[in-house]
């Protein structure tokens, strides 16, 4: 299979599976426990039908949206994800370049493999910095100040990862950062020598946002220990309220799933929330973001920008979320598979196909702008 033969999410996934060593593919592909929530995220869209209107004059379609003060040319953004240069040596550079080309928002993670300053300096377009709450309050403030100095547009605090999820695929291969693979994992690397060649002949793998805190040589701190030892499970709403005030700009919480928490986010001054179960990678059995969307939009949608992620595989999925009141939707695996398969050309092909699908589906729905998508266009089974 080649890139030009990839026409949808599943094709990109298959190409990534062929090109990546098994432990790395399974790190992207896998989720927590029995992976019930991973499957539910995509399946939730199948319980909702679209009801199109016709004869509406749909020659020109406007896909643009404004979310958290950022104008996006399409209602989809690239969610910040960790360790991208493990999947392809260009990593965040490829994703940022593709997102900028399509006029949409992208993010750099605390566990990103390219510095947020380099990305901000090199690529135009709204940039998010996603970070975790540390026991060291000084470190939290320093990270926010660094993002502010770099010119980051939106601060995104992930609130569903105070401890790592039980990702059993990684346990089976021994996948960790730094690599501590078991025999089964090493064998899978041996049969994909092209990945190893790229990994060894390009810039050394590192975590620029955490260089001073995580030792990538395998010494003081691994990624697993980073989650268990440095992140603070004692984080409270008061802690986050202080951070929102300190940031003084666009601030969103990623991982909100209940109406009560959505209301608290409004109360402390957040400008956005993302309904997310971390792609099914944290609490297995969690409800999907799409299934929670309507009640949270009804509760707070007039006071805060509500977004969602999880399970987006088609343009019709995007339309269903927008019709329920989401201002935009985030994608993760949707761009990680094509990144792993082909770098920047892969991400561009995936975003281009998604934009084409959304525009085509908008025309078939009889809508010329996102604002025309309403719940009148939906029926639930």
């Amino acid at each position: 299979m080649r890139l030009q033969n990839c026409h949808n999410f599943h094709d990109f996934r298959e190409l990534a599976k062929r090109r990546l060593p098994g432990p790395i593919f399974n790190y992207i592909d896998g989720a927590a426990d029995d992976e019930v929530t991973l499957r539910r995220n995509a399946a939730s869209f199948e319980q909702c039908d679209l009801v199109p209107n016709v004869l509406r004059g749909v020659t020109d379609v406007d896909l643009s949206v404004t979310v958290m003060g950022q104008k996006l040319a399409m209602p989809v953004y690239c969610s910040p994800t960790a360790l991208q240069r493990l999947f392809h040596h260009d990593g965040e550079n490829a994703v940022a370049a593709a997102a900028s080309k399509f006029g949409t928002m992208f993010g750099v993670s605390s566990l990103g493999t390219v510095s947020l300053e380099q990305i901000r300096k090199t690529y135009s377009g709204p940039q998010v910095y996603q970070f975790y709450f540390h026991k060291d309050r000084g470190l939290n403030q320093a990270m926010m100040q660094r993002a502010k100095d770099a010119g980051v547009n939106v601060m995104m605090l992930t609130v569903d990862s105070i401890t790592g999820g039980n990702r059993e695929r990684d346990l089976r291969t021994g996948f960790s950062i730094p690599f501590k693979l078991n025999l089964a994992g090493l064998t899978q690397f041996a049969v994909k020598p092209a990945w190893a060649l790229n990994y060894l002949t390009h810039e050394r793998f590192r975590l620029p946002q955490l260089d001073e805190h995580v030792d990538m040589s395998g010494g003081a701190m691994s990624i697993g220990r980073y989650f268990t030892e440095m992140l603070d499970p004692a984080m409270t709403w008061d802690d986050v309220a202080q951070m929102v005030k300190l940031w003084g700009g666009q601030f969103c919480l990623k991982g909100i799933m209940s109406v009560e928490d959505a209301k608290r986010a409004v109360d402390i001054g957040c400008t956005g929330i993302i309904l997310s179960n971390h792609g099914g990678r944290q609490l297995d059995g969690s409800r999907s973001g799409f299934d929670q969307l309507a009640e949270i939009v009804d509760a707070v949608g007039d006071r805060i920008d509500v977004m969602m992620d999880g399970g987006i595989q088609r343009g019709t999925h995007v339309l269903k979320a927008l019709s329920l009141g989401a201002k935009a939707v985030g994608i993760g695996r949707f761009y990680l598979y094509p990144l792993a398969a082909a770098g920047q050309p892969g991400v561009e092909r995936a975003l281009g196909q998604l934009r084409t699908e959304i525009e085509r589906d908008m025309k078939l729905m009889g809508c010329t702008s996102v604002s025309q998508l309403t719940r009148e266009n939906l029926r639930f089974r």
Side-chain angles (χ1 to χ4, degrees):
M1 176 181 282
R2 301 164 69 181
L3 182 61
Q4 56 263 42
N5 300 125
C6 292
H7 301 290
N8 59 37
F9 174 88
H10 304 288
D11 292 341
F12 288 118
R13 178 182 178 276
E14 178 60 29
L15 187 55
K17 186 176 184 179
R18 295 184 185 189
R19 295 192 173 183
L20 286 177
I24 295 180
F25 174 79
N26 281 305
Y27 172 77
I28 301 175
D29 197 59
D33 293 352
D34 298 311
E35 302 188 351
V36 171
T37 294
L38 172 64
R39 295 188 295 273
R40 181 178 295 156
N41 281 347
S44 62
F45 293 98
E46 297 176 10
Q47 304 305 311
C48 175
D49 297 330
L50 293 166
V51 182
N53 292 310
V54 297
L55 304 177
R56 298 300 173 96
V58 290
T59 305
D60 299 310
V61 175
D62 179 10
L63 301 183
S64 67
V65 296
T66 299
V67 58
M68 292 183 295
Q70 315 307 309
K71 180 73 177 287
L72 312 184
M74 59 190 290
V76 175
Y77 63 90
C78 295
S79 297
T81 57
L83 310 181
Q84 290 182 18
R85 289 191 59 245
L86 268 189
F87 318 141
H88 187 277
H89 56 82
D90 285 336
E92 289 86 351
N93 282 301
V95 179
S100 296
K101 180 176 180 179
F102 283 87
T104 194
M105 188 165 66
F106 59 92
V108 176
S109 168
S110 294
L111 296 171
T113 53
V114 177
S115 77
L116 63 93
E117 291 89 352
Q118 178 188 331
I119 293 290
R120 181 71 289 178
K121 190 182 302 181
T122 309
Y123 303 101
S124 61
Q127 181 174 326
V128 169
Y129 179 49
Q130 174 273 330
F131 74 115
Y132 298 101
F133 192 84
H134 298 83
K135 294 175 182 175
D136 181 348
R137 302 299 199 268
L139 173 57
N140 292 332
Q141 291 190 21
M143 293 175 80
M144 286 206 300
Q145 188 59 49
R146 180 176 174 179
K148 187 173 290 188
D149 293 343
V152 166
N153 306 94
V154 179
M155 183 58 70
M156 177 187 291
L157 176 65
T158 296
V159 292
D160 63 0
S161 302
I162 54 173
T163 187
N166 179 38
R167 302 172 193 177
E168 293 176 357
R169 292 203 214 183
D170 297 344
L171 296 176
R172 291 190 186 97
T173 63
F175 177 84
S176 65
I177 301 295
F179 289 132
K180 294 181 181 177
L181 296 162
N182 58 28
L183 183 60
L186 286 169
T187 301
Q188 293 180 56
F189 271 79
V191 299
K192 298 290 174 67
W195 179 91
L197 183 65
N198 271 326
Y199 181 78
L200 294 172
T201 56
H202 288 84
E203 180 187 354
R204 181 178 67 87
F205 182 87
R206 64 192 190 97
L207 301 175
Q209 278 64 253
L210 293 171
D211 270 347
E212 299 175 11
H213 314 287
V214 178
D215 183 357
M216 291 306 298
S217 66
M221 180 75 69
S222 69
I223 291 295
R225 286 181 59 205
Y226 166 78
F227 271 96
T228 57
E229 295 180 20
M230 290 187 67
L231 302 191
D232 192 356
M235 174 175 58
T236 68
W237 284 101
D238 289 340
D239 294 319
V240 179
Q242 291 178 9
M243 299 183 79
V244 172
K245 187 174 182 181
L246 186 65
W247 176 251
Q250 299 288 342
F251 196 111
C252 72
L253 300 183
K254 179 177 179 289
I256 296 295
M257 289 296 285
S258 72
V259 168
E260 180 183 1
D261 284 351
K263 291 178 177 177
R264 292 291 294 274
V266 173
D267 292 341
I268 65 171
C270 293
T271 56
I273 53 173
I274 301 171
L275 313 191
S276 174
N277 53 42
H278 217 96
R281 296 161 76 80
Q282 287 297 100
L283 177 67
D284 198 31
S286 171
R287 196 157 161 82
S288 77
F290 181 69
D291 284 336
Q292 282 298 89
L293 186 55
E295 64 182 82
I296 290 180
V297 167
D298 288 345
V300 300
D302 58 339
R303 292 179 288 161
I304 195 171
D305 285 348
V306 179
M307 295 151 279
M308 60 89 38
D309 65 31
I312 298 291
Q313 297 179 6
R314 283 290 185 186
T316 49
H317 296 170
V318 176
L319 263 59
K320 290 174 183 180
L322 297 174
S323 296
L324 280 185
K327 290 292 179 66
V329 302
I331 53 173
R333 292 181 179 92
F334 194 100
Y335 75 80
L336 289 177
Y337 293 133
L339 170 67
Q344 183 179 335
V347 180
E348 289 185 2
R349 183 170 176 87
L351 288 177
Q353 288 178 349
L354 185 57
R355 183 178 65 182
T356 297
E357 282 191 19
I358 295 171
E359 184 173 355
R360 179 195 306 119
D361 296 338
M362 290 272 287
K363 289 181 176 180
L364 292 172
M365 288 294 295
C367 297
T368 57
S369 69
V370 171
S371 61
Q372 294 175 4
L373 293 166
T374 72
R375 295 183 195 181
E376 292 298 313
N377 299 125
L378 302 179
R379 295 294 183 275
F380 285 86
R381 301 190 179 196

